[in-house]
Amino acid sequence: HKLDCFESDSFDFLITIHVLEHLTNPVKALLEWHRIVKNNGYIFTAIPKKDKTFDRYRDKTPIRHLLEDFQHNIGRMDTLHIMEFNQFSVPAIYLDWKNELVPDEKTVQEICRFYRGEKQLLESETIYNLWRHLESEKLRHLTRVRDGKPLDLHFHVWESGKDVSKLLEAIGLNAVEIVEDYLGNSILFVIKVNKTKDLDHRVQDLKNGNFPL
């Protein structure tokens, strides 16, 4: 999340494509990108829409949760979303990749219902074998993070441009354009960099847990 190798006001613009969802602390990243771009410059960012990806069975990340991650300076060991990714995204990935552990969409739906607590029993051998595999993968991912090794997954998910708009407004960043269904599966948003004392005060409020929601 930190870009200490770059001084403030180093760039006229910054472009990221499908990066923000891979970071445990998106608010911190957005503010860091804002720091290194010159005043009146632009930040172009695209993030995937959950319903268009393997995240389609996950709940969208609440704005308050993203702000709390910033307040508590969440680092790489974000166990909550590692478990969530394994429980709800990995089955959909296996379906899309035609992995034999997930023969059909119903299998994904059933294991997700189990993890949501809507079912108490694993009713078939297929679901049981998938559950055992997912629990093993979850432990492997948690161990990698504990050992300081990189982990490539979606920590957070967004549903619409409205989610992005609310987040940027809460942070105090100025979105000049938000494009739904960018390239068919993404949300594109453009931030105009405006460095003011008001933004500095907003960031301090967020660190203190004063969220404008």
Side-chain angles (χ1 to χ4, degrees), residues 30 94 99 107:
L30 285 168
Y94 286 174
N99 187 295
T107 302

Side-chain angles (χ1 to χ4, degrees), residues 163-206:
D163 299 332
V164 173
S165 178
K166 289 180 178 178
L167 175 62
L168 297 178
E169 183 179 352
I171 301 172
L173 299 182
N174 178 29
V176 294
E177 186 171 6
I178 297 178
V179 180
E180 294 273 8
D181 295 318
Y182 176 68
L183 297 180
N185 68 346
S186 302
I187 305 164
L188 172 70
F189 58 97
V190 182
I191 298 170
K192 184 173 183 179
V193 174
N194 185 15
K195 304 191 177 186
T196 67
K197 290 184 178 179
D198 288 341
L199 177 60
D200 294 338
H201 293 155
R202 176 65 62 84
V203 170
Q204 192 57 51
D205 282 343
L206 294 177

Side-chain angles (χ1 to χ4, degrees), residues 1-209:
H1 304 96
K2 292 288 288 181
L3 296 172
D4 294 333
C5 53
F6 299 117
E7 296 183 359
S8 299
D9 306 315
S10 293
F11 302 100
D12 295 317
F13 62 90
L14 181 147
I15 299 173
T16 69
I17 307 293
H18 287 205
V19 172
L20 200 63
E21 69 276 7
H22 291 274
L23 305 178
T24 57
N25 198 332
V27 173
K28 185 175 182 179
L30 285 168
L31 291 171
E32 186 69 355
W33 298 348
H34 192 273
R35 178 187 68 80
I36 65 174
V37 174
K38 298 174 183 177
N39 199 39
N40 294 318
Y42 291 91
I43 300 169
F44 301 83
T45 297
I47 54 177
K49 296 184 73 169
K50 81 176 193 72
D51 291 341
K52 302 289 187 179
T53 71
F54 49 73
D55 292 318
R56 55 190 177 271
Y57 285 99
R58 293 172 68 176
D59 294 328
K60 70 178 181 180
T61 307
I63 302 299
R64 177 172 289 276
H65 177 92
L66 296 169
L67 298 178
E68 288 174 347
D69 280 353
F70 176 70
Q71 177 195 3
H72 300 301
N73 197 27
I74 293 296
R76 290 196 302 175
M77 192 60 177
D78 185 358
T79 57
L80 173 64
H81 294 299
I82 293 173
M83 293 188 289
E84 181 185 11
F85 179 83
N86 277 274
Q87 292 169 350
F88 300 108
S89 294
V90 171
I93 292 173
Y94 286 174
L95 176 67
D96 295 345
W97 290 356
K98 303 185 185 308
N99 187 295
E100 62 182 10
L101 284 169
V102 184
D104 50 39
E105 192 86 32
K106 183 180 178 182
T107 302
V108 182
Q109 295 169 351
E110 290 298 300
I111 195 67
C112 289
R113 287 182 62 200
F114 173 78
Y115 277 123
R116 293 189 191 282
E118 298 170 6
K119 295 184 64 171
Q120 302 302 315
L121 297 176
L122 299 167
E123 297 176 347
S124 70
E125 183 178 359
T126 298
I127 299 296
Y128 176 71
N129 288 337
L130 175 59
W131 171 77
R132 287 188 60 187
H133 176 80
L134 294 175
E135 292 301 301
S136 176
E137 283 294 282
K138 187 191 305 180
L139 179 60
R140 184 176 69 85
H141 286 158
L142 291 171
T143 302
R144 284 185 63 87
V145 174
R146 182 202 64 190
D147 294 342
K149 297 178 180 178
L151 191 61
D152 184 21
L153 55 82
H154 290 184
F155 285 95
H156 302 284
V157 294
W158 287 266
E159 194 170 52
S160 68
K162 186 178 294 185
D163 299 332
V164 173
S165 178
K166 289 180 178 178
L167 175 62
L168 297 178
E169 183 179 352
I171 301 172
L173 299 182
N174 178 29
V176 294
E177 186 171 6
I178 297 178
V179 180
E180 294 273 8
D181 295 318
Y182 176 68
L183 297 180
N185 68 346
S186 302
I187 305 164
L188 172 70
F189 58 97
V190 182
I191 298 170
K192 184 173 183 179
V193 174
N194 185 15
K195 304 191 177 186
T196 67
K197 290 184 178 179
D198 288 341
L199 177 60
D200 294 338
H201 293 155
R202 176 65 62 84
V203 170
Q204 192 57 51
D205 282 343
L206 294 177
K207 289 180 178 179
N208 293 332

